[in-house]
Amino acid sequence: MFIVIIYSTGMICYFTQKEGVFVPYLDGIFYELDIANKTATIRNITKTNSNPEIKIPSNVKGYKVVKIASEAFMHSKHLREISLPITIEVIGKRAFKECQALTQVKLESRQINIGEHAFFGCKNLMVVSSANWNTTIFPTGYGVFQQCINVQFIDIDFGGSVRTSTFDCCNAITALRFAHNTTLKTDAIKNCPKLTTIYINGQFDASRPMLRKMRKYKIICDELSNVIELVYDGYWVEIDDNTLPF
């Protein structure tokens, strides 16, 4: 069954029905509705969607938008900027993989889980920011920002377990932020020649095990020699051979 609705505002909404779930098509984006939980998932975009700036709504016809499905925007040729609402909880695997025109991602959620290779190969991505000062990203898979060669600063804390290759080949990144209880896997950060500052939001003592592991496995730029500044909960320590705090 296929239904077309034209609203008084001029907005066109297409509905298809699959196994009892309606998938509305709004502004070139398909949403899958979870009727039981009153939530919506962004399933994919139409091939003809050439909108360079997309602002995802927090709800679709009363359904809270909570997830971007795997590969939803993958290989989009036109997307330059995307804004995600505070309701988004999950960005699926390869959701924005190789979106070559993408330059900016704006978040609002306090906590957001991001899947494997979600932004892999977004070579023109420069800024990932949040309107919420205490947003935390939890990478749930490998290589979330791998080969984002032009991203300069991700102004958001990372928490949980940061997986292998999360920041591999982020050639332009200058600073990263972590929650104090973050676990970094081997090679989570490598091939980042411009990384000079690590921000750790938490108590110094709670951060020490993570920093020791960084040094042991040499997972910042393959070595710590490039990192000249560590910032603990607003206090910074300049790093040299004599003042390494771990």
Side-chain angles (χ1 to χ4, degrees), residues 27-225:
D27 300 326
I29 300 175
F30 285 98
Y31 295 83
E32 182 176 346
L33 307 182
D34 183 335
I35 295 173
N37 295 306
K38 294 290 288 184
T39 59
T41 296
I42 297 172
R43 183 55 56 190
N44 55 33
I45 59 174
T46 63
K47 293 181 179 179
T48 57
N49 189 331
S50 59
N51 188 356
E53 298 181 8
I54 294 177
K55 185 173 183 179
I56 302 299
S58 60
N59 73 82
V60 175
K61 304 303 290 180
Y63 289 78
K64 184 169 70 171
V65 181
V66 297
K67 181 179 180 180
I68 299 177
S70 297
E71 302 180 2
F73 293 87
M74 187 171 73
H75 298 154
S76 171
K77 296 179 180 179
H78 305 285
L79 181 63
R80 290 202 309 265
E81 181 178 310
I82 188 159
S83 299
L84 304 180
I86 196 169
T87 54
I88 290 290
E89 300 171 358
V90 177
I91 296 177
K93 297 177 181 179
R94 301 175 296 281
F96 296 93
K97 181 180 179 182
E98 295 178 344
C99 289
Q100 302 293 1
L102 183 64
T103 62
Q104 187 168 8
V105 176
K106 298 179 180 179
L107 307 175
E108 293 184 16
S109 305
R110 291 189 62 184
Q111 295 186 357
I112 186 165
N113 296 311
I114 303 184
E116 179 178 323
H117 290 150
F119 293 94
F120 177 93
C122 292
K123 295 185 177 180
N124 288 300
L125 179 63
M126 297 182 67
V127 177
V128 181
S129 61
S130 176
N132 192 329
W133 68 272
N134 60 349
T135 292
T136 303
I137 289 176
F138 294 89
T140 59
Y142 302 109
V144 171
F145 291 100
Q146 189 173 13
Q147 294 188 26
C148 291
I149 60 175
N150 283 304
V151 67
Q152 296 177 2
F153 188 56
I154 301 174
D155 191 20
I156 298 170
D157 286 355
F158 284 81
S161 179
V162 180
R163 305 296 183 89
T164 299
S165 298
T166 294
F167 302 105
D168 184 17
C169 294
C170 291
N171 297 345
I173 199 148
T174 59
L176 287 171
R177 286 169 38 185
F178 298 100
H180 75 269
N181 58 346
T182 302
T183 300
L184 288 171
K185 300 297 185 181
T186 303
D187 290 336
I189 305 170
K190 65 177 183 178
N191 301 318
C192 301
K194 294 186 178 180
L195 180 63
T196 59
T197 305
I198 302 293
Y199 294 89
I200 299 171
N201 295 325
Q203 296 180 354
F204 173 78
D205 288 343
S207 303
R208 290 173 75 94
M210 183 183 77
L211 294 172
R212 288 195 191 100
K213 187 173 183 180
M214 284 182 182
R215 191 181 189 196
K216 179 180 178 182
Y217 292 105
K218 298 182 179 180
I219 55 179
I220 296 180
C221 310
D222 298 322
E223 56 185 44
L224 271 173
S225 59

